[in-house]
Amino acid sequence: MSPLHGTTPLPFPPSVDPREHRRGERFELPAVAASVADARSRVARRADRWGLPDTVRDTAQLIISELFTNALLHTDSHIVICRLESAGHRLRLEVADEGPGLARLFPRAPSSEAEHGRGLMLLDALAARWGVISPENGRGCTVWAEVRP
């Protein structure tokens, strides 16, 4: 797992290039299986509109699918909130749920026969860095990831 797992994220560092433009978008979707494809499609359209490299777009689609699916499978959320932020060719993704917070979030190594349980390992392999934020009241969880070319 990433050494950043469980840390509070920092926004993108200040750009040394004053021409680097930051863009962002936030959207909410119902916590249903059909919303995974919608989230993936929104990420792809936004990445294309922002002119991000295909590798960033494709990786971001995999990550948003995994994070959104985790929110569905492991929480009793009614909505899932997604946030995208781009700076240069980098993309930051955030997925927030209404689950039990970090108290019950324990990454584990799955058995070789398990159909689930590899999501955080996949996230660790795909993201440049990632982490988890839990609000002070213990409800909800935000998982964030940064994708770079």
Side-chain angles (χ1 to χ4, degrees), residues 4-139:
L4 294 172
H5 173 70
T7 62
T8 301
L10 299 174
F12 284 130
S15 174
V16 294
D17 183 353
R19 297 169 300 189
E20 186 177 77
H21 181 64
R22 289 182 180 226
R23 301 153 294 223
E25 179 176 324
R26 178 187 182 281
F27 58 90
E28 296 180 6
L29 295 171
V32 296
S35 293
V36 176
D38 191 6
R40 195 170 42 244
S41 178
R42 286 174 184 240
V43 167
R45 284 193 313 266
R46 185 57 58 198
D48 287 343
R49 190 171 295 134
W50 289 341
L52 297 175
D54 292 350
T55 56
V56 170
R57 180 199 60 221
D58 296 345
T59 301
Q61 284 184 282
L62 288 171
I63 289 173
I64 202 79
S65 292
E66 185 58 42
L67 297 182
F68 205 105
T69 299
N70 281 352
L72 294 178
L73 293 176
H74 302 293
T75 74
D76 58 353
S77 299
H78 293 91
I79 62 163
V80 176
I81 301 168
C82 301
R83 186 175 162 272
L84 312 173
E85 180 185 358
S86 173
H89 290 299
R90 301 169 297 170
L91 181 64
R92 179 187 169 98
L93 307 157
E94 293 181 6
V95 175
D97 62 47
E98 301 170 306
L102 292 178
R104 292 180 18 200
L105 180 65
F106 297 106
R108 57 177 166 61
S111 72
S112 60
E113 296 84 30
E115 292 183 19
H116 301 284
R118 292 174 184 81
L120 293 181
M121 290 188 296
L122 178 65
L123 177 62
D124 198 50
L126 294 173
R129 54 183 213 139
W130 67 278
V132 181
I133 308 166
S134 186
E136 291 181 21
N137 66 6
R139 288 288 294 164

